[in-house]
Amino acid sequence: MSMNYQAINLNESAAQIKELWSPKVVGEIHDFQFKVVKIDGEFMWHEHQGADKVFIVLEGELFIAFRDGQVKISQGEMIIIPGGPEHKPFAEKECHIMLVEPKEVVDTDSH
């Protein structure tokens, strides 16, 4: 039985996305998901409650504001955002990003 080996084209995946700030899952490994997202403008201040997250810039420039400074991530660069500090991603023009983050835990607890 042969495996189906196939590359995932991240630029094509991004090109198919119509809405901004709407991540599309392109792959999974262990308990992590790889998502492609287009952003433009500003997101809200938020934190990840202990879950680290990786941003990889495929096209454009991503800025992430922290309460005590900010960082610019250019095409071909990545940043690991720890789960603790509050931050706000933004872009001055359309930017394509791959996110690597833990799968969202679905709460199956019934009260």
Side-chain angles (χ1 to χ4, degrees):
M1 187 175 129
S2 67
M3 289 280 298
N4 181 18
Y5 300 108
Q6 194 173 356
I8 297 165
N9 188 312
L10 301 174
N11 291 327
E12 279 180 14
S13 297
Q16 290 165 10
I17 296 173
K18 300 287 179 267
E19 303 88 27
L20 295 170
W21 303 101
S22 178
K24 172 180 185 263
V25 177
V26 295
E28 293 186 358
I29 183 171
H30 305 297
D31 293 326
F32 286 85
Q33 290 181 322
F34 295 80
K35 300 174 180 177
V36 175
V37 61
K38 282 183 184 176
I39 70 164
D40 195 355
E42 298 193 356
F43 199 62
M44 63 195 155
W45 284 99
H46 68 289
E47 56 189 45
H48 299 145
Q49 285 104 31
D52 300 346
K53 191 180 277 199
V54 178
F55 292 79
I56 301 165
V57 176
L58 304 174
E59 189 178 303
E61 287 179 341
L62 166 68
F63 296 85
I64 299 180
F66 295 91
R67 293 298 186 187
D68 57 354
Q70 75 173 36
V71 64
K72 177 175 102 171
I73 306 98
S74 300
Q75 184 170 326
E77 295 182 336
M78 65 177 264
I79 188 170
I80 299 169
I81 304 292
E86 244 193 325
H87 61 281
K88 179 179 73 169
F90 67 96
E92 291 169 351
K93 49 183 190 278
E94 189 177 293
C95 177
H96 301 174
I97 299 164
M98 183 160 72
L99 295 173
V100 184
E101 60 185 3
K103 279 188 212 176
E104 287 172 15
V105 180
V106 179
D107 187 9
T108 55
D109 209 352
S110 54
H111 294 288

